[in-house]
Amino acid sequence: MTFRSLFIPAIDAKSLAGAVSDAGHLLAGRGVLKAQFTWSDYSPPANMAAAVDLSALAEQQRIGIKRMERELRDSFEASAKDLTAAINAEFLSVCGDFPGSMARSSRMCEAILFRHRGKDKQVGDPATIEEILFHSGRPLFLTPESGIAQTPRSFAVAWNGSKEAARALALAQTMIEGAEKVTFITIGEERDDTPSAEVMAAHLSACGTPADVIRRGPAGKTELVLAETAGEAGADALIVGAYSKSRLREIFLGGVTRAMLESPPLPLFIAH
């Protein structure tokens, strides 16, 4: 499994360094890696008192931005030293709207890579990930806080026959090429007007990738059953489709996908 190019949203130094380390495994020693820090100019609230020194506030913000940029760049460059010379690593600093600017910039790469920051630091992260995922047109590879120690070689696919699941599997084709095994996991009933998990596994096997099926009843929380079953199958990563519902111009992930974003049980490949 290899990616040719990856894009990392630079949010804090620790998760950035971890994502760079993960990229070394996911790029398999060659390719392009880009990380971006996005910042914006100071814009005072309209109701701010006239007596407030806006120039001083703006200067304080500029100092803070420069400090954060330097911290992130240093973290990226230090971590990138451990990558092979065949990986072209670049740190970008862009003035723009967050996270929209990151979503647009990520379109130059094959996928987005994000290292989970842990429960104590991830407040707001699911919403940020949603925005980038839904507006980038690119899939997301999310690794747990502990990261990955090697290139994933075995995969599980959350399959219910939906177009979202089918799209996620299609976008993961280059990733699963040459995989040791792919396991389709179905929980509860599938749609009867689309290929079953067994049909999908047979098709993938015919294409040269060994595949099997595990079925589970609709008992307990779906995300927990998925994670447990993927672990039983020996999967190194789980492929899932992201579901959207537009209301008042807000976009929400389905409950199962959102729960996994908040606490990924294993590396996730998510596509919308």
Side-chain angles (χ1 to χ4, degrees):
M1 165 211 150
T2 59
F3 288 104
R4 291 166 296 181
S5 60
L6 290 168
F7 179 91
I8 303 174
I11 296 179
D12 69 54
K14 181 180 178 181
S15 66
L16 175 58
V20 172
S21 175
D22 293 337
H25 299 295
L26 297 173
L27 290 170
R30 61 189 307 169
V32 174
L33 177 64
K34 294 183 181 294
Q36 179 173 310
F37 167 56
T38 300
W39 54 276
S40 59
D41 288 324
Y42 178 71
S43 179
N47 61 350
M48 180 169 285
V52 175
D53 187 348
L54 297 182
S55 61
L57 288 177
E59 180 61 23
Q60 289 177 8
Q61 187 191 41
R62 281 192 289 270
I63 292 173
I65 289 172
K66 287 297 183 183
R67 183 187 303 115
M68 176 62 74
E69 179 184 354
R70 184 168 57 251
E71 179 182 345
L72 291 172
R73 186 183 296 275
D74 289 347
S75 176
F76 179 80
E77 292 178 350
S79 302
K81 289 180 180 179
D82 295 329
L83 301 176
T84 67
I87 294 179
N88 182 354
E90 180 182 10
F91 181 87
L92 307 172
S93 179
V94 176
C95 177
D97 58 310
F98 178 85
S101 177
M102 284 190 176
R104 293 186 291 273
S105 295
S106 69
R107 293 170 186 165
M108 71 182 83
C109 293
E110 187 177 357
I112 302 162
L113 174 61
F114 194 91
R115 168 78 78 94
H116 196 273
R117 300 197 295 162
K119 292 183 178 180
D120 59 335
K121 291 186 177 180
Q122 64 90 37
V123 176
D125 282 1
T128 297
I129 294 173
E130 285 181 33
E131 184 75 16
I132 295 174
L133 178 63
F134 280 101
H135 292 286
S136 65
R138 291 291 181 266
L140 167 75
F141 196 92
L142 175 67
T143 61
E145 186 180 8
S146 57
I148 57 176
Q150 61 184 11
T151 302
R153 302 187 183 282
S154 180
F155 301 88
V157 179
W159 184 258
N160 62 359
S162 67
K163 66 179 185 295
E164 290 86 358
R167 177 171 172 77
L169 179 60
L171 289 174
Q173 287 301 305
T174 57
M175 184 179 71
I176 64 177
E177 184 177 352
E180 294 177 356
K181 185 180 69 169
V182 174
T183 299
F184 287 83
I185 300 174
T186 295
I187 299 176
E189 296 183 358
E190 294 173 277
R191 296 174 50 168
D192 57 9
D193 59 348
T194 190
S196 67
E198 286 77 12
V199 169
M200 295 300 297
H203 174 74
L204 205 59
S205 295
C207 291
T209 301
D212 60 7
V213 176
I214 297 179
R215 289 185 173 274
R216 291 285 186 265
K221 292 185 177 181
T222 301
E223 62 271 18
L224 297 180
V225 177
L226 269 175
E228 180 180 329
T229 307
E232 292 174 1
D236 299 319
L238 175 63
I239 299 168
V240 298
Y243 302 82
S244 66
K245 180 175 67 174
S246 180
R247 182 181 181 186
L248 299 178
R249 300 181 66 185
E250 293 181 337
I251 299 177
F252 303 89
L253 290 178
V256 173
T257 316
R258 173 176 276 277
M260 289 189 164
L261 282 181
E262 293 176 349
S263 183
L266 72 167
L268 302 176
F269 179 89
I270 307 173
H272 168 63

